[in-house]
């Protein structure tokens, strides 16, 4: 069997040796006479094939997603450290709910440093695109790629607006090991959810000051992970003591 990345999906070729109907997210595509599944099922698909001892050729990843030699340590406040620890204990998947001004961006960049794999950071506005790019350069000492506001430069760490990522994920979805979504509550309700669906990144971190609720929360649990940390405004002052 061969696994290929194709426009935000994983295509399963030469799959006669296994029952693809029981593989995560796999659906028959009559146009190409093969099974395919959304890219977000990539790691679950690999795990299931290995569990079944299926021989396969993995031709999905396009960019190095394994850790590099080192990344700088980033000093965090106790509650930021608690959020990051909760994320790590949850298999590096999940959502941190933290008030505005609590340092969500710094916490996320520390996650990038610790995971030390290629990362795509999604932000809703051009203003946040600039803020994230400056923060990454300051804290990690690297100039990140930028996708949005008239720029298209992809690097190992890249910041992209929701809209620009949505337009490009069919080409970029296999290039990152970590996906970070700022203001993640904007997802989960059908608005540009394809951005998260078309990415193979196994590590995912959502950030928001607005706790997802209802059907959107259920959908985000699937796309990003569960809520793994919550911080109230009144807890920030006590955390500084």
């Amino acid at each position: 069997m061969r696994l290929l990345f194709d426009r935000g999906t994983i295509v399963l070729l030469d799959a006669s040796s296994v029952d693809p109907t029981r593989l995560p997210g796999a659906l028959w595509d009559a146009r190409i006479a093969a099974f395919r599944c959304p890219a977000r099922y990539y790691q679950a698909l690999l795990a299931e094939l290995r569990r079944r001892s299926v021989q396969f050729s993995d031709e999905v990843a396009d960019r190095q997603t394994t850790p590099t030699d080192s990344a700088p340590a980033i000093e965090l406040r106790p509650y930021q450290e608690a959020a990051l620890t909760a994320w790590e204990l949850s298999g590096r998947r999940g959502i941190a709910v933290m008030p505005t001004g609590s340092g969500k961006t710094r916490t996320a960049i520390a996650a990038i440093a610790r995971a030390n794999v290629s990362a795509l950071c999604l932000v809703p506005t051009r203003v946040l695109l600039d803020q994230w790019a400056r923060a990454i350069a300051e804290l990690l000492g690297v100039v990140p790629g930028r996708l949005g506001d008239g720029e298209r430069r992809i690097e190992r760490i890249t910041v992209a607006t929701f809209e620009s990522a949505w337009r490009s994920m069919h080409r970029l979805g296999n290039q990152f090991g970590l996906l970070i979504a700022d203001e993640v509550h904007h997802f989960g309700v059908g608005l540009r959810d394809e951005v998260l669906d078309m990415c193979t990144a196994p590590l995912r971190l959502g950030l928001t000051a607005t706790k997802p609720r209802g059907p959107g929360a259920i959908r985000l649990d699937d796309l990003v992970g569960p809520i793994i940390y919550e911080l109230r405004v009144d807890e920030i002052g006590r955390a500084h003591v």
Side-chain angles (χ1 to χ4, degrees):
M1 179 188 295
R2 297 172 59 205
L3 306 181
L4 303 175
F5 180 82
D6 180 52
R7 293 167 292 174
T9 69
I10 308 300
V11 175
L12 289 65
L13 298 179
D14 307 323
S16 58
S17 61
V18 65
D19 180 7
T21 61
R22 300 181 61 185
L23 292 174
L27 294 173
W28 178 254
D29 186 343
R31 296 169 301 176
I32 62 172
F35 281 86
R36 70 166 77 229
C37 65
R40 66 184 172 89
Y41 286 106
Y42 177 49
Q43 291 300 315
L45 178 62
L46 294 182
E48 179 62 17
L49 291 175
R50 289 165 180 155
R51 187 188 69 82
R52 298 191 198 180
S53 299
V54 175
Q55 297 294 318
F56 63 92
S57 171
D58 184 357
E59 303 171 35
V60 171
D62 185 54
R63 182 181 288 258
Q64 181 60 259
T65 57
T66 55
T68 54
D69 293 335
S70 63
I74 297 175
E75 184 177 352
L76 298 175
R77 295 187 182 278
Y79 61 84
Q80 295 167 338
E81 183 66 44
L84 188 51
T85 298
W87 178 68
E88 291 174 330
L89 291 174
S90 299
R92 292 179 169 175
R93 287 181 62 92
I95 297 171
V97 181
M98 302 169 67
T100 300
S102 60
K104 294 188 294 294
T105 302
R106 188 181 187 93
T107 303
I109 295 174
I112 294 174
R114 293 193 190 180
N116 203 15
V117 296
S118 55
L120 177 64
C121 308
L122 305 177
V123 299
T125 67
R126 291 177 293 177
V127 171
L128 285 173
L129 180 75
D130 289 334
Q131 291 178 1
W132 272 77
R134 288 196 301 268
I136 289 170
E138 176 186 348
L139 295 173
L140 297 181
V142 299
V143 177
R146 293 167 61 109
L147 188 58
D149 198 17
E151 294 190 60
R152 180 178 170 76
R153 180 168 49 81
I154 308 303
E155 301 290 348
R156 194 169 186 272
I157 300 174
T158 297
V159 187
T161 61
F162 291 172
E163 184 69 21
S164 294
W166 178 75
R167 294 177 182 276
S168 304
M169 196 61 78
H170 64 289
R171 296 188 299 269
L172 305 178
N174 61 337
Q175 296 190 20
F176 301 96
L178 169 60
L179 180 65
I180 294 176
D182 194 11
E183 306 291 344
V184 73
H185 60 276
H186 289 293
F187 295 103
V189 292
L191 181 64
R192 302 301 190 234
D193 284 358
E194 295 94 340
V195 174
L196 308 180
D197 218 23
M198 297 168 69
C199 185
T200 60
L203 312 184
R204 301 192 172 206
L205 173 61
L207 304 164
T208 183
T210 304
K211 183 177 179 179
R213 301 182 185 279
I218 297 173
R219 176 66 170 156
L220 281 175
D221 192 317
D222 192 31
L223 291 171
V224 180
I227 294 173
I228 47 84
Y229 182 79
E230 291 186 64
L231 179 71
R232 301 192 307 270
V233 174
D234 63 320
E235 294 176 312
I236 296 178
R238 294 200 301 270
H240 289 178
V241 177

